[in-house]
Amino acid sequence: QLQLVESGGGLVQPGGSLRLSCTASTGTFSNYAMGWFRQAPGKEREFVATISRIDRSTIYADSVKGRFTISTDDAKNTLYLQMNSLKPEDTAVYYCAANLRRVLITSTPDYWGQGTQVTVSS
């Protein structure tokens, strides 16, 4: 019932910034926990960040804490990931994800976007 579309990926130099967006082409975020995952080449998919649909509190992976910011715009039904001070190790496909009737994203989301490529390289 929920279809997610990511955008905003691209090529950026180390130390640069990107802002990823995730919109629901079908359905709304009101009943879903939202978050971001990423998968680097040769690596397993890993959790990046989640934001509570109740009070907008956030949880981040240690690897991105202090550099990435997850946020939402409920009026636009959009999830964001602001990525600053990017490192080559941040290179990955980034996925928007959702869990039905959850406050925070789980390790097994119910819905996934198609992903957007982020490449950090000189």
Side-chain angles (χ1 to χ4, degrees):
Q1 292 296 312
L2 186 67
Q3 298 184 17
L4 305 172
V5 180
E6 303 98 333
S7 63
L11 175 65
V12 65
Q13 295 184 27
S17 298
L18 286 173
R19 189 191 195 193
L20 307 183
S21 299
C22 173
T23 60
S25 59
T26 301
T28 68
F29 293 167
S30 62
N31 295 319
Y32 297 87
M34 304 299 301
W36 292 93
F37 292 78
R38 68 185 183 185
Q39 188 166 21
K43 303 278 189 176
E44 295 184 353
R45 189 171 297 184
E46 64 177 356
F47 166 78
V48 174
T50 187
I51 183 167
S52 170
R53 65 181 178 89
I54 303 301
D55 62 5
R56 296 296 180 262
S57 60
T58 57
I59 299 174
Y60 297 92
D62 289 341
S63 59
V64 307
K65 194 174 299 181
R67 300 187 298 120
F68 291 10
T69 302
I70 187 172
S71 63
T72 60
D73 185 333
D74 291 340
K76 297 181 179 180
N77 204 34
T78 301
L79 176 74
Y80 301 100
L81 185 68
Q82 178 66 46
M83 309 164 65
N84 299 326
S85 301
L86 283 163
K87 307 173 181 179
E89 64 188 9
D90 295 318
T91 295
V93 177
Y94 284 72
Y95 298 90
C96 175
N99 281 108
L100 181 63
R101 297 186 298 275
R102 298 285 187 173
V103 175
L104 300 170
I105 202 73
T106 74
S107 61
T108 55
D110 298 313
Y111 301 96
W112 296 92
Q114 293 300 304
T116 184
Q117 176 70 50
V118 172
T119 302
V120 184
S121 179
S122 298

